[in-house]
Amino acid sequence: RMDQALLLVRNELPALGLKLAALSSSCHQCLYQFLAFVPPSNESLRTPGTASVMVDTQHPLTLLLNSSVGDRDLCKIQYHFGEFGNYSLVVKTLSTSTQTVSCDLIINEGPINSYLPILFAFLVYMGILAILIAGRLLMKIDPVRNWVYKKLNPRATDRMINSELGSPNTTDSINCDPTPQWSTASRRRLHSLDTFRGLSLVIMVFVNYGGGKYWFFKHESWNGKLHFPSALFSRFVFIMGTSIALALGSMLRWGSSKWKVLRKILWRTFVLILLGIIVVNPNYCLGPLSWDNLRIPGVLQRLGFTYLVVAALELLCTRPDSGTWEGRFPALQDILPYWPQWIFILVLEAIWLCLTFLLPVPDCPRGYIGPGGIGDFGKYPNCTGGAAGYIDRLLLGEKHMYQHPSSGVTYQTTMPYDPEGILGTINSIVMAFLGLQAGKITLFYKDQHKQIMSRFVIWGTVMGILSAILTKCSKEEGFIPINKNLWSISYVTTTSCFAFILLLLIYYLVDVKKWWSGAPFLYPGMNSILVYIGHQVFANYFPFKWKMQDSQSHAEHLIQNLTATTLWVVISYILYRRRIFWKI
């Protein structure tokens, strides 16, 4: 199967059976897992004892061979097996006098290079990009442009040329309408925000569709470095906070009362949570949905609640006019006037720290934030997530949580754990608040590009320093490790550091230098709710999914997942061309 290799163990030791166990390098402080018993060799027939096992190829493994008598360690081998490879492990005695045992790993059949489809897909998309760029340059030549005018509808062609490959001139402000509706855009907005949001969304769609079944397009099992998937949701939360600052300021400047804006915030929160519950509980072909197993947390639910808290907090402190603050430190005009917000956020973070590290959890050590299962040498198998998991099980119930956490495969956890649970929502609010700060920077220093970019650099640097302190620049040994499942504060500071830097780069390219229109990520970024819900609802329908010839092929999965993701980009582009945007 994918991500597996065949290992044949040949035992040439007479009268001594072997026990084979393995430990993955991705499993921190885990117990060795038993794989197979290898019988002793048959001296009369002169045939070795053999056993065949499938071994994981995603991460390096440590193989441990013990004797069945006395449980004595005979040999330990560290090796990174290749996908679909065929290997033999030969165990024999080198010297009968000293009983020295040797373990030799032999490659019978070499593995395949499962990463070639990624290279091929990259070259295809780069070719498409080159063709589009060449077309853009040709359209600047007068004879070519005039010829296109004659061949195509002049009116449609004029719109295509003036749009600069899809970069809008006027669009609506951030969605805060009281009801979902189809409307045309009407006001100017920062293209970099839509591009940032669209980039995160497109990668999220690709990952949710399977990411070609590659392990590095999956969420980290527990603690660890940030893979593509692990940082996507946080970027979405970050840019939502940025949009809140721009939207509320715009609405108040246009004369909307705070009570009217609050009603819109409450309605949008309700719709997001309702849509989230519907999306995470698909039951289209399984009959009526049972309320006993309804999952309550989810991505849109967390977005909705985070939006409610951060938008309400900003509404309480924002001013209709965004003039210069006449205080002692004008360079801090985007921070000091909002000191009540900072106190609120610090109190929230103190609550998260106290609950996480001080709340007593039955049968678990206080402050435990591990994965449970076979992690921590199997001492706390039912303590997955520590206080975070305990609070969800206590308030929501086990049946209303996510049943297949990412720690299940590596750490063999049996307890349900929801990565969008209650306690982690506190830090998603912190993440959105940092995005809100980015939005305030763009408001207070409007058209002052150097000021905006320098502050993005400062914030990114500060967040990076905090991350280094919290994690000790280590995967597992820090004060608070980076953990997407827990939404640890180090995860927030690390992802916000990258978010500030990424927003800086996109802002520079799209809004400052205008070297890039933001296409194609601009289009899904302007219809993010539609694309997100649509890709979830139609995930198992043609043309987004079809029956494969070989379900164990990374290439076929990659083709299918990239096709589905590209289709949503095309759909968002068509909607953009027709000036159709679904708003909540």
Side-chain angles (χ1 to χ4, degrees):
R1 300 176 65 88
M2 276 191 300
D3 300 323
Q4 287 185 341
L6 175 65
L7 176 64
L8 175 66
V9 184
R10 295 168 53 90
N11 180 12
E12 298 182 4
L13 303 179
L16 186 62
L18 303 175
K19 291 187 293 185
L20 176 66
L23 175 64
S24 172
S25 64
S26 66
C27 197
H28 180 63
Q29 293 185 343
C30 291
L31 299 171
Y32 277 89
Q33 298 303 296
F34 175 78
L35 293 182
F37 173 77
V38 188
S41 65
N42 190 323
E43 291 187 276
S44 61
L45 298 177
R46 295 184 178 181
T47 57
T50 59
S52 298
V53 294
M54 300 296 176
V55 291
D56 180 66
T57 62
Q58 299 181 49
H59 305 282
L61 293 180
T62 300
L63 299 178
L64 178 64
L65 276 169
N66 291 339
S67 62
S68 58
V69 179
D71 204 26
R72 179 169 63 95
D73 291 351
L74 297 179
C75 59
K76 183 183 293 186
I77 298 176
Q78 291 183 339
Y79 193 76
H80 193 170
F81 294 92
E83 187 174 19
F84 296 121
N86 189 320
Y87 302 86
S88 290
L89 179 59
V90 181
V91 185
K92 58 186 178 181
T93 303
L94 290 179
S95 171
T96 55
S97 59
T98 61
Q99 295 295 313
T100 303
V101 175
S102 73
C103 300
D104 299 320
L105 191 63
I106 302 171
I107 301 177
N108 302 323
E109 184 178 343
I112 66 169
N113 190 341
S114 58
Y115 304 121
L116 283 178
I118 297 179
L119 175 62
F120 182 75
F122 174 78
L123 293 176
V124 169
Y125 277 93
M126 288 300 99
I128 294 174
L129 178 62
I131 292 173
L132 293 176
I133 293 175
R136 171 89 177 267
L137 295 176
L138 286 174
M139 289 299 296
K140 293 183 178 181
I141 302 175
D142 290 339
V144 175
R145 186 167 62 248
N146 294 335
W147 182 83
V148 172
Y149 270 122
K150 295 177 181 179
K151 294 296 181 181
L152 300 178
N153 183 295
R155 189 174 179 182
T157 305
D158 182 63
R159 288 201 304 267
M160 180 183 69
I161 295 174
N162 290 337
S163 66
E164 296 183 359
L165 285 184
S167 178
N169 290 323
T170 57
T171 56
D172 196 9
S173 63
I174 304 303
N175 305 333
C176 286
D177 285 359
T179 57
Q181 58 182 304
W182 300 91
S183 69
T184 58
S186 62
R187 274 176 283 186
R188 188 174 184 84
R189 65 200 284 161
L190 286 173
H191 301 165
S192 54
L193 302 188
D194 293 313
T195 304
F196 183 102
R197 185 189 299 109
L199 174 62
S200 302
L201 180 59
V202 167
I203 301 176
M204 184 186 296
V205 170
F206 171 68
V207 167
N208 288 346
Y209 276 148
K213 298 297 182 181
Y214 289 101
W215 65 269
F216 43 80
F217 287 134
K218 299 176 183 178
H219 292 294
E220 187 72 45
S221 296
W222 200 247
N223 296 335
K225 53 191 176 184
L226 294 174
H227 295 157
F228 271 120
S230 301
L232 296 176
F233 185 27
S234 62
R235 289 178 192 165
F236 216 78
V237 173
F238 179 90
I239 206 65
M240 181 183 70
T242 306
S243 302
I244 288 173
L246 303 179
L248 294 188
S250 174
M251 294 178 68
L252 293 176
R253 285 194 301 272
W254 281 82
S256 297
S257 67
K258 287 193 174 184
W259 283 110
K260 182 179 179 180
V261 175
L262 180 61
R263 286 195 299 269
K264 293 181 178 181
I265 292 172
L266 292 173
W267 176 254
R268 193 181 193 209
T269 300
F270 169 76
V271 173
L272 281 173
I273 294 176
L274 179 62
L275 288 174
I277 292 176
I278 294 173
V279 167
V280 299
N281 293 283
N283 227 53
Y284 315 122
C285 304
L286 303 178
L289 180 66
S290 172
W291 291 101
D292 295 334
N293 300 318
L294 182 78
R295 183 188 173 193
I296 297 176
V299 170
L300 290 180
Q301 295 93 306
R302 176 169 285 189
L303 282 175
F305 189 78
T306 301
Y307 170 80
L308 171 65
V309 174
V310 176
L313 184 64
E314 175 66 5
L315 183 65
L316 289 175
C317 299
T318 193
R319 297 172 296 169
D321 63 314
S322 57
T324 303
W325 183 58
E326 297 179 358
R328 294 181 58 185
F329 305 100
L332 300 177
Q333 60 177 312
D334 54 328
I335 299 177
L336 294 183
Y338 301 95
W339 62 267
Q341 293 180 343
W342 285 96
I343 291 178
F344 178 82
I345 292 299
L346 291 175
V347 169
L348 269 186
E349 190 54 40
I351 292 173
W352 183 85
L353 290 170
C354 290
L355 290 176
T356 299
F357 294 103
L358 300 179
L359 180 70
V361 178
D363 302 321
C364 301
R366 184 167 299 186
Y368 180 77
I369 54 174
I374 63 174
D376 301 291
F377 306 109
K379 295 179 182 178
Y380 319 111
N382 298 322
C383 296
T384 303
Y390 174 67
I391 291 173
D392 289 342
R393 292 190 293 271
L394 184 66
L395 299 182
L396 303 177
E398 290 188 6
K399 293 184 178 181
H400 299 292
M401 299 166 55
Y402 188 52
Q403 300 297 311
H404 309 287
S406 60
S407 58
V409 176
T410 301
Y411 289 95
Q412 300 182 18
T413 54
T414 57
M415 299 293 290
Y417 180 82
D418 208 305
E420 280 77 52
I422 296 173
L423 192 57
T425 305
I426 291 178
N427 279 340
S428 70
I429 292 172
V430 176
M431 185 75 185
F433 182 76
L434 292 172
L436 181 77
Q437 187 61 35
K440 290 177 181 176
I441 290 172
T442 61
L443 282 177
F444 280 97
Y445 303 98
K446 186 176 181 181
D447 298 327
Q448 301 178 49
H449 300 314
K450 289 185 178 179
Q451 292 279 8
I452 292 174
M453 291 189 293
S454 63
R455 277 162 171 77
F456 284 171
V457 170
I458 292 172
W459 275 102
T461 303
V462 170
M463 292 297 107
I465 292 173
L466 287 176
S467 297
I469 294 172
L470 291 172
T471 64
K472 297 182 181 179
C473 299
S474 168
K475 177 180 177 179
E476 302 283 354
E477 306 303 327
F479 299 109
I480 304 178
I482 296 173
N483 191 298
K484 190 266 178 187
N485 285 286
L486 296 171
W487 268 72
S488 62
I489 184 59
S490 57
Y491 169 78
V492 170
T493 55
T494 303
T495 54
S496 63
C497 167
F498 291 128
F500 273 110
I501 300 303
L502 180 60
L503 182 58
L504 163 67
L505 294 175
I506 295 177
Y507 176 76
Y508 180 76
L509 293 174
V510 175
D511 288 318
V512 178
K513 292 297 185 179
K514 302 188 185 300
W515 289 339
W516 179 29
S517 67
F521 305 113
L522 178 76
Y523 316 127
M526 295 184 69
N527 250 322
S528 56
I529 294 296
L530 183 145
V531 172
Y532 181 81
I533 294 178
H535 100 275
Q536 293 273 28
V537 172
F538 296 103
N540 294 316
Y541 291 86
F542 183 82
F544 305 101
K545 192 174 184 179
W546 59 83
K547 186 176 181 179
M548 298 182 182
Q549 294 290 331
D550 181 7
S551 62
Q552 299 304 314
S553 167
H554 280 293
E556 286 203 42
H557 281 281
L558 186 65
I559 291 172
Q560 187 178 90
N561 302 154
L562 286 175
T563 300
T565 304
T566 303
L567 282 173
W568 282 112
V569 175
V570 172
I571 290 171
S572 62
Y573 173 73
I574 294 172
L575 294 175
Y576 166 82
R577 295 295 299 170
R578 294 178 177 273
R579 318 294 292 171
I580 297 173
F581 305 97
W582 190 34
K583 307 193 303 178
I584 296 177

